[in-house]
Amino acid sequence: MAISPDLSATVGNTPLLRLRRISALTGCEVLGKAEFLNPGGSIKDRTALGLICDAERKGLLRPGGTIVEGTAGNTGIGMALIGASRGYRTVIFMPETQSREKIDTLRMAGADVRLVPAVPFKDPRHYVHVARAYSDSLNEQTPGSAWFGNQFDNTANRDWHEATTAVEIWDQTLGQVDGFVCAAGTGGTLAGVGRALKERNPGAKIALSDPAGSALAHYINRGELLAEGSSISEGIGSSRITANFEGAPIDLAWSVPDQESVPLLHELLREEGWCVGGSSGVNLAGAIRLARELGPGHTIVTVLSDAGTRYQAKLFNPRFLREKGIPVPDWLDQAFPS
């Protein structure tokens, strides 16, 4: 009898889905890692578990302690749920611009949610800096009472994806992986999976699919951080090189506009039944570009990061989409008439 002893044991080992439409379009075998099936609903459950396990092992997170993190939402949800299952309190700082669905989910998960202005990283009011300062203040009052997850620059994030996500992909494809592509927020998934796949198959191509408004694709292609445009996607893209992203073995990088990525997630839902979020749309666009770069007959893997229900008010709102200049399919207009 297979019984999971706790929530942590249910994180990972997600299925690899064949994406029928994109596979037929490109002539490649295009596969999506169904990370939205993790218990907290996203790939960030892996990140949260990896960071927490590392902190416990090093004695940085003690029984009854407080987890503090700055996040766009999904890592916080993972930390709140795993934290609750292990007896920790969780305090989350996040930009006030993030989806209402994620904010509400965090609160339902028991997190103490502190919303802060959406400002550049150089601003001391940025959610990462505020979270770090709050953790420091708790430890000044009671040494060892709090732990700051620091998902962007704590390389336990990257290491966990290297040891788990990448190994699952390799095993599920029987080692037949020609390319891997995804977006980067912290950079942990792309760097960790990229490193592990390159170690096993040096010829595998690793690609970054970057939302408009992020500086990472320009950095890979031109060597400088320059952001152009904007995107409605949440939790991906960056204006800086994090410790997790630094040194990632990236062969190709593209900047993807919303007008290209969002219709792909609408089509995936309508034609194949998978409801995924905005970052998955960027990943799907990257998978198509990588498949066309490599040519027919190759196997491409990407990540379906979280569920689209977490962004219903944006991604599936015809009025919002039109305001952003994003095509609205007829069926969505019929489902949500103005």
Side-chain angles (χ1 to χ4, degrees), residues 9-337:
T10 68
V11 175
N13 294 308
T14 54
L16 200 56
L17 311 175
R18 184 175 190 271
L19 304 178
R20 296 196 310 264
R21 181 182 174 277
I22 293 178
S23 295
L25 179 68
T26 62
C28 287
E29 190 76 355
V30 182
L31 311 172
K33 197 84 162 83
E35 292 300 301
F36 58 88
L37 295 178
N38 278 303
S42 85
I43 193 169
K44 294 298 187 177
D45 288 358
R46 292 183 187 265
T47 300
L49 180 59
L51 295 175
I52 288 172
C53 287
D54 181 72
E56 289 176 336
R57 186 167 55 250
K58 293 176 178 176
L60 302 174
L61 182 56
R62 304 173 185 176
T66 298
I67 295 170
V68 181
E69 184 61 300
T71 169
N74 280 333
T75 302
I77 293 167
M79 285 189 165
L81 293 173
I82 295 168
S85 75
R86 298 187 178 205
Y88 303 123
R89 173 174 174 257
T90 304
V91 182
I92 297 298
F93 291 83
M94 66 186 298
E96 59 193 2
T97 53
Q98 300 306 290
S99 75
R100 174 54 55 184
E101 294 91 339
K102 283 195 291 189
I103 295 170
D104 290 344
T105 301
L106 269 166
R107 288 175 171 152
M108 286 190 298
D112 178 354
V113 181
R114 315 282 181 94
L115 300 179
V116 298
V119 296
F121 184 77
K122 63 183 179 181
D123 191 312
R125 296 173 299 162
H126 188 275
Y127 60 95
V128 170
H129 303 316
V130 178
R132 185 193 300 272
Y134 180 75
S135 178
D136 289 344
S137 71
L138 292 182
N139 285 321
E140 287 175 5
Q141 297 172 30
T142 308
S145 62
W147 167 72
F148 173 50
N150 195 21
Q151 61 169 323
F152 291 90
D153 295 304
N154 183 345
T155 55
N157 173 354
R158 178 188 66 202
D159 296 344
W160 191 260
H161 284 290
E162 186 172 357
T164 64
T165 318
V167 173
E168 290 174 30
I169 290 171
W170 184 261
D171 290 345
Q172 288 170 321
T173 60
L174 302 179
Q176 302 303 307
V177 187
D178 299 301
F180 175 79
V181 58
C182 72
T186 66
T189 303
L190 184 60
V193 173
R195 282 161 46 129
L197 293 183
K198 285 282 193 183
E199 181 181 349
R200 290 164 172 78
N201 174 15
K205 296 297 183 184
I206 307 301
L208 165 67
S209 190
D210 207 28
S214 171
L216 297 179
H218 197 277
Y219 175 79
I220 295 298
N221 292 325
R222 305 282 182 83
E224 62 174 339
L225 288 166
L226 177 64
E228 296 179 320
S230 62
S231 173
I232 65 172
S233 60
E234 298 182 15
I236 55 173
S238 183
S239 60
R240 69 185 182 97
I241 303 303
T242 66
N244 281 296
F245 187 85
E246 188 173 10
I250 300 171
D251 300 298
L252 300 158
W254 304 285
S255 179
V256 176
D258 290 340
Q259 290 75 13
E260 178 182 346
S261 65
V262 176
L264 293 173
L265 62 89
H266 289 155
E267 291 166 358
L268 185 67
L269 174 58
R270 192 63 171 175
E271 298 180 19
E272 300 183 51
W274 301 113
C275 182
V276 296
S279 60
S280 297
V282 175
N283 291 347
L284 293 172
I288 293 172
R289 293 192 185 204
L290 181 57
R292 286 175 172 160
E293 181 79 23
L294 297 182
H298 292 88
T299 298
I300 310 297
V301 177
T302 190
V303 176
L304 303 178
S305 309
D306 64 1
T309 50
R310 204 156 272 181
Y311 311 92
Q312 186 276 325
K314 293 182 179 180
L315 296 176
F316 301 95
N317 179 344
R319 179 177 297 177
F320 177 84
L321 294 173
R322 285 196 175 90
E323 290 174 354
K324 300 298 182 181
I326 299 171
V328 179
D330 291 341
W331 63 266
L332 190 58
D333 257 336
Q334 296 168 10
F336 297 98

